[in-house]
Amino acid sequence: MHLDLTGRTALVTGSTQGIGLAIAVDLARAGARVAVNGRTAERVDAAVARVRDESGGEVVGVAADVTTDEGTATLATELPEVDVLVNNLGVFGAQEALTITDDDWRRYFEVNVLTAARLIRTYLPGMRDRGWGRIQNIASDSAVVIPAEMIHYGVSKTALLALSRGFAKEAAGSGVTVNSVIAGPTHTAGVEDFVYQLVDPALPWDEAQREFMRTHRPQSLIQRLIEPEEIAHMVTYLASPLASATTGAAVRVDGGYVDSILP
């Protein structure tokens, strides 16, 4: 299977580390011109160098806080046309349900949902006019299996699934596809911090990971954390011409964590 994105420009938000960085590398390896995005120029420049080094592809960087109207305007000015939009940016963290304040709820909704909606509004019209485009929203198993320790995160990701389905209908018949990618428990630096919030911080990482999966994610069929590259491979496939008939879907890369026979 040859995934060729030559001639396409791909934007990955929140791509200076973790899953976003892995997605940027994978898209660049498939031939896309990739735009790395983060809030600070220093982190963006470092990520651009890493993506370029690991992929050998064409990479640009745009430092902009896309959770704001001003940052989105900056991004749109520097990158007026995008063929592949990957809304990866998101926040998460453990918090007892009854301590989640209104401000916490607003922050999770604004970052995890409204930011994606704003960027889709920015780039979908151009994709539709050109007759081709790919929009992907990086969701989570928490959208389906709401975790008791972070229900505000889970609810925001559930909303993201609905957002994707709705915009897929808006793009119907245009050559633009809109999908969600349901990522399962994934090994990133941020997740390492999260794991150590829930298990003994004195445990070595391998033991901590096993304890976390056994205690907090026992549904996983692969019984390990997913590597970011495994998420990236699915994103690259969905961005390719080979996935032209997949739209309005919530595609799982969750290690079998969600107990369902449907994707």
Side-chain angles (χ1 to χ4, degrees):
M1 185 181 295
H2 182 55
L3 305 181
D4 186 6
L5 289 170
T6 302
R8 304 296 186 185
T9 295
L11 166 64
V12 186
T13 64
S15 49
T16 60
Q17 63 181 354
I19 293 173
L21 181 63
I23 291 171
V25 170
D26 213 53
L27 290 171
R29 285 175 176 161
R33 171 180 177 256
V34 174
V36 170
N37 164 253
R39 285 182 296 180
T40 68
E42 182 180 12
R43 289 174 62 86
V44 168
D45 290 345
V48 166
R50 181 170 171 183
V51 174
R52 188 177 291 135
D53 180 63
E54 293 188 17
S55 69
E58 183 181 357
V59 189
V60 298
V62 182
D65 182 357
V66 294
T67 67
T68 67
D69 290 334
E70 296 79 10
T72 303
T74 296
L75 182 66
T77 298
E78 296 193 29
L79 200 68
E81 290 189 0
V82 166
D83 302 300
V84 178
L85 169 62
V86 182
N87 285 312
N88 169 73
L89 177 67
V91 293
F92 71 96
Q95 190 170 347
E96 293 182 7
L98 294 179
T99 70
I100 303 171
T101 66
D102 286 357
D103 285 343
D104 294 327
W105 280 104
R106 290 188 188 96
R107 175 172 176 255
Y108 272 71
F109 189 79
E110 287 174 358
V111 174
N112 292 353
V113 184
L114 290 185
T115 297
R118 186 183 302 113
L119 288 169
I120 293 171
R121 288 200 312 267
T122 300
Y123 288 113
L124 174 56
M127 293 179 183
R128 193 161 49 186
D129 289 346
R130 295 188 298 274
W132 197 95
R134 300 286 186 266
I135 297 171
Q136 297 181 53
N137 298 313
I138 306 303
S140 166
D141 58 81
S142 296
V144 183
V145 186
I146 305 293
E149 71 275 7
M150 51 177 184
I151 65 171
H152 53 339
Y153 173 74
V155 168
S156 72
K157 291 298 185 177
T158 304
L160 195 60
L161 299 185
L163 185 84
S164 302
R165 181 68 184 179
F167 273 112
K169 293 178 179 181
E170 176 66 22
S174 67
V176 180
T177 65
V178 186
N179 294 291
S180 300
V181 174
I182 297 181
T186 305
H187 181 198
T188 66
V191 167
E192 286 192 16
D193 293 339
F194 174 68
V195 165
Y196 278 122
Q197 291 180 41
L198 299 175
V199 303
D200 184 353
L203 288 174
W205 169 245
D206 285 346
E207 291 182 32
Q209 175 183 187
R210 287 194 296 270
E211 176 65 17
F212 170 77
M213 296 301 289
R214 184 183 67 81
T215 305
H216 297 281
R217 301 293 186 269
Q219 304 98 311
S220 171
L221 299 184
I222 61 174
Q223 298 182 356
R224 62 169 174 83
L225 289 173
I226 298 163
E227 292 302 321
E229 293 76 15
E230 294 174 296
I231 309 296
H233 296 331
M234 178 62 76
V235 171
T236 300
Y237 165 70
L238 290 174
S240 77
L242 299 184
S244 55
T246 302
T247 190
V251 181
R252 290 164 48 198
V253 191
D254 68 342
Y257 178 78
V258 177
D259 191 7
S260 170
I261 60 174
L262 296 176

